[in-house]
Structures are given as C-alpha cells and as structure tokens.
Amino acid sequence: MPASTLNIELTPVPVINGKPARYQSLWLLLRVYYAGHTDHPDLPAYEIRSRFPGKTNGRMIISRAFEDFRDWGVDVGWGWDRSIPISLLNTRNRSRGPFWLDKKGSRRIKITAGGKKASIDALAGFLGINTGQQPLSPLAYAMQDVGYWNNLTQAMRLAKDGFAGTNASGVAEHFRTTRLAAHDHFQSALSILKESLALRKQGQIQLSWEALDSLSPFLVSDTEDDHESMAAFAAMAGIARAWNLYMTEGTRAAHVEINRLHADGRSRLVVRYNPRVRFEYLNLKALIFRAIALELNDAPMAERRHAAGQSITHFSRALRAAYEADSIEAAQDVAANIGLSLWLLWKNALLDAPSGTAETTVQMQSLRWICLSEWICDRFGVGGGSVWNTVFLLRIVRGACSVSQSPTLEQLRRFPPLSVTQVIAGTKPFHTAFSAAKGYTDWSSVIGFTLEEHDNGQARYETLQLANLLLEAIWFYTFENGLGSPAIKATERLAVLLQDLSAPKRRFFRESIRTLPDIVQSVFEEALQDA
C-alpha cells in the first residue's frame, strides 16, 4: 500500500497505522467516512452531539478531533461550500459543520476488522448505527415506543414555562434526549426545529444556529412519509433563520431572508395554507417593518411611514392567523406586539389616525392590547414567564410624559403618568392582571412585586428583560418616592447588568438614564465604574 494510506483496524483495539487513537476522534473520522459512503455526503454536527450526549462542550470534541486529524495527515472539511480549499476554511465556524471528506481523502482510508477488509455494515456496527429497516406494516408506527413523544412533550413544556432558561444548555439537553429517541426523519426534524425555536426564544442564538444547521439534511428527504411535512419544516426553518438574523445582524439581513422565503414557491404555499406558519411569517415581517420605520432615521419620511403602516397591517393579519391556528400563545404574543407598536409608531408621528384622535386615546388603546395579552397569559398559563408585558405597560403608561435631558425632580413630576386607577378603568375587562386585588396600589408596587418574584426564584427573567424592568423601576421609584433607597438600589443593579449586554443595548440604557435627574445619573455612573 502507498505510504500515505491511513490504515484503521477496528478490532480488538482500534488503532491507526498501528498506534492507539483517541476514540472520539476516530469515531468522528469514521462517521464522516461512513456518511460519504451512504445516504449523505456530509455529517451534520448534531450527529456528534447525539453520539456524545454527556459531553456538553461539543466544540472541544471537534477541536481535539481536528488536532488528531492533523497528526494523522488527513484533511476533513466543514461547511456547505465544498469549492473552498480546506486550508482556507474559517475555523471559527467549524463546530457548526457539516463535515466531509473529499474523494482523495476518502480513498486514502483503509478499514479492516480482524485483519480483513471491513464491510460498510461492520463499520456501521462499530459506529453504533442501526441499519435495520422498520417493518412496512399498518401497525408499525402505532406500535413504536412512545418515549419520543413523552420526551418531546416534556421538552416543549419546560421551554414554554421558561424553567430551562436558568441553564444555557438546559433546553438543548432536553431536546437532545428527544432526538436520540427518534424513530424516523420526521421525528428527528421535528425535535431539531422545536429545539432551534426554543433556543432562540431563550436568547441562545449560537445554539439555535447549530440546531438549524442540523436540520438541513432532513429537508431534502424524498421518502413518501416525510415529503409533505418537510415543506412545512423548510418554511419554518427559513423563518427561524430570519429571526436569528434579525437578532444578530439586524433588520436588512432579516428582510432579505424573509423575502427569500416568499420567493420560494413551495414555502409560499405553506405560508398561505398553514395558519401557524403564516402567523410566524406575518409576525416577523411586521417586526421588520416596525424596525425599518423606527430605526432608519436617514430614510425618507414617506418610506418610514409606509413601513409603519405595513407593520400594523401585518400584525393585524398575524392576529387573525393566530386565532385561525387555535394558538392562544401566538395570540398573546401578537396582541402585545400590536399594543407596543401602535404606541411607538404613533408617538414618532409615523401613523395617521382618524381626525381628532387624542394622544390619550391611542395610549389607552395600546394599553388595552397589552392587557389583553397579559390576561391571556394569566388565564391560559402561556407566556413562558416573560416580563415584557409589564415593561411595555409601564413604558406606555409614562409614554406621554415630557422627556428632557437631566430634569429636576420637580420638572419630572410636572407631567404625571397614567395612574393604576385610570389604566384599570380604561382596560376592563382585561385589567385583572394589574388590579388592586393583587395588592397593586401604584406602579412602584407592581414593579416591587415583579422584581421580588425574580429574586425569590418564582420567575426567572433573562438579562435584557431584567434590565428593562429595572429601568422602569428607576423611573417610577424616582417619580413616586424621590431618590430613596429603592431607586438607588435599582440604579446600581442596572449598572452591573449592563456589562452583560451588547453595545447598542448599553447605549439605549445610558441614553434613557439621561432623561432622569442629575443625582440618578451620578449614582449610575459611579456604579458603572465600580462594576
């Protein structure tokens, strides 16, 4: 054999060219080799996480494997573009896969078992791959172990409740367990898609991307049982990609992706006839239009106003799609989006309302949408422990107050926010989530109770949500009680949290603090220096 041949002996002890090999690295090399000789030319990254579920750091496994590949003199590629030479591939994205061997590298590998050439079935056995076929019987599916559905249900419930959000890998672990129990392509794809969506809602964008990459091989399935469902999965995957881009690269990148989805004939039909997918499409499209209207200050006003109108129109259609799909959680989500968007776009003079419409009329209508959303969360147990509705309500309640740089306390109090009593009277019958029956007498008591729930572990709010709640706490504590201990503690706490936020988010909070009295700003700046 040529000197460059890589001789791999599987039994009794796996060796490469007569030397012991790290099992995980050898497994990965052989699994890539196996993929290239069977159904798929690529090995998706999720296969590695599935094979080593107890290893939480998949990147470390992959990194060590590539060190071994270098020592063995074998080139393994990664990514979807095979036209790029392996030496030029970006190692930063390597852990996302998929992994592959070119023909030259594959020919160099010679695999034996007990000194004899190993068959593909023998290799599958070493890798732990079950190559047996399911019996084609009407009872085959119904007689499967229902463990997969139990695992999927539990993972979805944990993600919905928000419990897994306290652990960055919690959601992934639950869905990984589900994926390992899958019996077919549909079940694997379903669990991966659910995992990606849940991780995105938890703010774990990198993990969400990795799950989406794992989904790609399943979207080309040609089996009769999978074909119809894969069209819906492909459409949802496109929406998930657009969401991740929206949260990482901004409005324009998300807009391009969502428009690409609409240009695909098969996905366009799914959006038209599947109300749940249509809701996701319309809701995100509305958010993109809202961002265009509010963030593109250099755009012509006519373009921004058109985007504002499109935003409200798409939110309205999304609400109808949510109820058509019998998804009460989607309904509460879009109700909150309508409330906040209506107020923000009106406040920035980007919407036309009927002649004579007062600012307080739009303000109260916006609050009714927010209260409807929170009422649904309260009655139906949905919402995933989010605090956004409370933040939105508080921000709209004080939204008509005059904002100036560094006001005195007297100037700040010259324009009072709507009172709890006014909001309750104006939002009936959806007022119960913020009613006096819960002990709410003023907005400070609402904030204090909400923060106490988080601090006691009854609810867990991710960093951005908590930072926004603290901003409202600072404003209302200062307005209602002056710069006492509650306002100072909230200010110092927000300054510490800012270290964990992105630069644009930090800029928002710094600018917001400047609309409060000088003494609040001084406490904030001192706390920033000490953090």
Side-chain angles (χ1 to χ4, degrees), residues 104-294:
K104 181 180 178 181
S106 186
R107 283 196 298 265
R108 288 186 53 227
I109 297 175
K110 304 300 179 183
I111 306 170
T112 57
K116 298 180 180 179
K117 182 180 179 181
S119 66
I120 201 71
D121 287 340
L123 178 57
F126 175 82
L127 295 170
I129 298 172
N130 181 11
T131 59
Q133 299 296 316
Q134 292 287 344
L136 298 177
S137 163
L139 293 178
Y141 207 87
M143 293 303 292
Q144 285 179 355
D145 184 354
V146 297
Y148 166 85
W149 300 106
N150 175 58
N151 291 330
L152 181 63
T153 303
Q154 299 230 33
M156 291 171 63
R157 180 61 199 234
L158 287 168
K160 185 185 292 290
D161 289 343
F163 297 151
T166 58
N167 182 346
S169 61
V171 170
E173 288 290 344
H174 289 296
F175 279 101
R176 185 178 299 119
T177 301
T178 303
R179 197 187 309 172
L180 290 171
H183 296 278
D184 53 40
H185 280 189
F186 170 85
Q187 292 180 356
S188 295
L190 179 62
S191 62
I192 294 169
L193 180 60
K194 295 289 186 184
E195 176 184 355
S196 176
L197 297 174
L199 287 167
R200 187 259 299 169
K201 290 182 179 180
Q202 295 284 336
Q204 304 296 327
I205 305 301
Q206 177 61 35
L207 292 175
S208 178
W209 272 122
E210 290 176 5
L212 279 179
D213 286 344
S214 302
L215 182 63
S216 297
F218 294 101
L219 300 182
V220 297
S221 173
D222 291 325
T223 66
E224 182 179 351
D225 289 341
D226 294 339
H227 184 70
E228 294 180 0
S229 55
M230 290 306 164
F233 287 164
M236 280 302 298
I239 294 170
R241 284 193 296 272
W243 259 112
N244 287 350
L245 290 170
Y246 178 75
M247 298 179 73
T248 54
E249 298 184 24
T251 305
R252 295 188 187 279
H255 205 188
V256 169
E257 184 65 35
I258 205 78
N259 286 341
R260 182 181 295 122
L261 175 74
H262 190 261
D264 180 82
R266 190 171 70 155
S267 294
R268 187 167 62 248
L269 288 175
V270 173
V271 170
R272 179 181 298 174
Y273 296 114
N274 185 318
R276 178 65 210 212
V277 177
R278 192 182 334 126
F279 160 77
E280 295 288 352
Y281 171 84
L282 291 168
N283 189 50
L284 178 56
K285 196 79 179 283
L287 288 170
I288 291 171
F289 276 122
R290 187 181 77 182
I292 291 172
L294 292 173

